[in-house]
Amino acid sequence: MNIPVEQLESRTSSLIGDFPNTYTFSKALGERILEKHRGDVPVTIVRPSIIGCAIKDPFPGWIDSVSAAAALYLFGGIGLIQVAHGNKNYIGDQIPVDMCADTIIVAAATYANTNALNVIHSGTSGANPVSWGYTVKIVTKYWQTYPPEKKVAYCNFRLQKNDKLLKAEQFVRRVPTLAYHKVANTVQNAKMKRSAGKLYKAQRRAEELSDLFEYFIMNEWIYVTTHIQELQMSCTKEEVEIFQIDPRVINWKKYLYYFCWGLHRFILKENVDPPAEV
């Protein structure tokens, strides 16, 4: 299929089918290409769920980019997002980045001499599940306890399952911004116009982020991770200590607190100490 670049964006939804976005579509496409053309080359695919901050290496809370759940936690923390479309009772499958990296290393070593196509799920939903409701509760508690200097508003982040109520609340929040924008244009105050423009863009960005992530908070998947236990059995006691791949060791309250601290320290770049004992 040869489609001009300028037409790709308008045809994206028809091209990716049931996939929620081009990212998940391209990952699935890559797997199928590898399976079809690998020949006798041993291939092991590690499928991580939603990747979060480090739990251990290089140190708890380490993070260097904002994507997926991290964006939700950050923008919720600074008050840019007050409500997102999601079901608080659903499991949110998240995996620390270093745990995923260790799984790749151990899986590569374990299956290097096999001629099979191995697929490993690196996730927590099957072995150590945590709900979105609990996640948002802990995330909100952190930001309320340690409010960032760069906050837009007080953190009162929550999930709304009902789409109509969500849209109504977003509209109500939009009214003051639109009114401020209109007044700024009427009085032709340059400072007010700049401020109104920034506020409007921030609000639009918050709504767009909620829309982008809602597929993953309004749906639920449980991934079987029995291969992780098999990988651990192939390791020595020393290797089990070095390569942390078992999601059952995650203390969610502590991990999510450090996740928010990592965003606070390394993304917002505010000089804040790691959280006290959680």
Side-chain angles (χ1 to χ4, degrees):
M1 185 182 295
N2 188 14
I3 303 174
V5 175
E6 58 272 13
Q7 294 182 21
L8 282 175
E9 186 172 351
S10 62
R11 297 183 61 181
T12 296
S13 59
S14 62
L15 290 172
I16 66 176
D18 293 332
F19 289 91
N21 51 41
T22 54
Y23 173 70
T24 52
F25 173 75
S26 61
K27 286 177 70 175
L29 188 63
E31 285 190 10
R32 284 161 176 75
I33 292 172
L34 282 171
E35 182 179 11
K36 182 177 180 180
H37 298 289
R38 73 182 185 90
D40 293 329
V41 178
V43 171
T44 296
I45 296 170
V46 175
R47 291 176 179 164
S49 56
I50 301 170
I51 297 178
C53 75
I55 190 173
K56 175 186 173 186
D57 296 315
F59 46 81
W62 177 84
I63 189 169
D64 68 348
S65 63
V66 178
S67 60
L72 209 60
Y73 304 161
L74 177 62
F75 293 137
I78 64 175
L80 188 58
I81 295 180
Q82 295 289 340
V83 60
H85 196 199
N87 189 327
K88 66 180 182 180
N89 296 316
Y90 282 169
I91 292 171
D93 200 318
Q94 308 166 68
I95 191 75
V97 62
D98 50 333
M99 195 168 280
C100 177
D102 284 353
T103 300
I104 292 172
I105 294 169
V106 175
T110 302
Y111 299 121
N113 297 319
T114 67
N115 192 31
L117 174 66
N118 303 288
V119 178
I120 311 296
H121 287 116
S122 179
T124 56
S125 55
N128 187 8
V130 61
S131 70
W132 284 118
Y134 183 79
T135 297
V136 168
K137 176 184 175 182
I138 300 302
V139 167
T140 301
K141 184 178 179 181
Y142 171 87
W143 293 111
Q144 289 179 347
T145 305
Y146 306 97
E149 296 173 10
K150 296 182 178 68
K151 67 179 183 294
V152 176
Y154 181 72
C155 175
N156 194 23
F157 184 42
R158 59 189 177 81
L159 300 177
Q160 173 57 259
K161 179 181 176 181
N162 188 295
D163 184 56
K164 290 183 178 179
L165 290 177
L166 174 75
K167 297 301 181 187
E169 185 168 340
Q170 288 177 338
F171 174 77
V172 169
R173 291 180 182 280
R174 208 179 298 136
V175 169
T177 304
L178 294 173
Y180 182 47
H181 196 274
K182 187 172 182 180
V183 170
N185 283 320
T186 300
V187 300
Q188 289 297 303
N189 184 298
K191 186 176 180 180
M192 285 180 65
K193 287 172 71 174
R194 286 195 299 272
S195 177
K198 288 180 180 179
L199 188 60
Y200 179 75
K201 286 181 180 178
Q203 202 162 48
R204 290 287 297 177
R205 175 60 179 147
E207 292 177 11
E208 287 170 2
L209 184 61
S210 175
D211 291 341
L212 283 171
F213 208 65
E214 72 171 284
Y215 182 85
F216 302 98
I217 320 179
M218 286 297 293
N219 291 285
E220 182 181 55
W221 301 269
I222 308 297
Y223 292 103
V224 177
T225 53
T226 51
H227 280 96
I228 298 298
Q229 283 71 51
E230 294 174 12
L231 290 177
Q232 280 197 306
M233 290 175 64
S234 71
C235 296
T236 64
K237 288 184 178 180
E238 183 181 12
E239 289 169 340
V240 169
E241 290 297 319
I242 296 172
F243 301 105
Q244 189 164 280
I245 65 175
D246 189 350
R248 292 175 297 183
V249 304
I250 300 173
N251 176 320
W252 283 112
K253 184 178 181 180
K254 183 176 181 179
Y255 176 73
L256 291 167
Y257 248 61
Y258 269 92
F259 198 151
C260 293
W261 171 78
L263 292 168
H264 199 167
R265 178 66 182 84
F266 303 110
I267 303 301
L268 294 180
K269 298 188 182 304
E270 296 184 5
N271 190 19
V272 57
D273 292 329
E277 287 299 319
V278 180

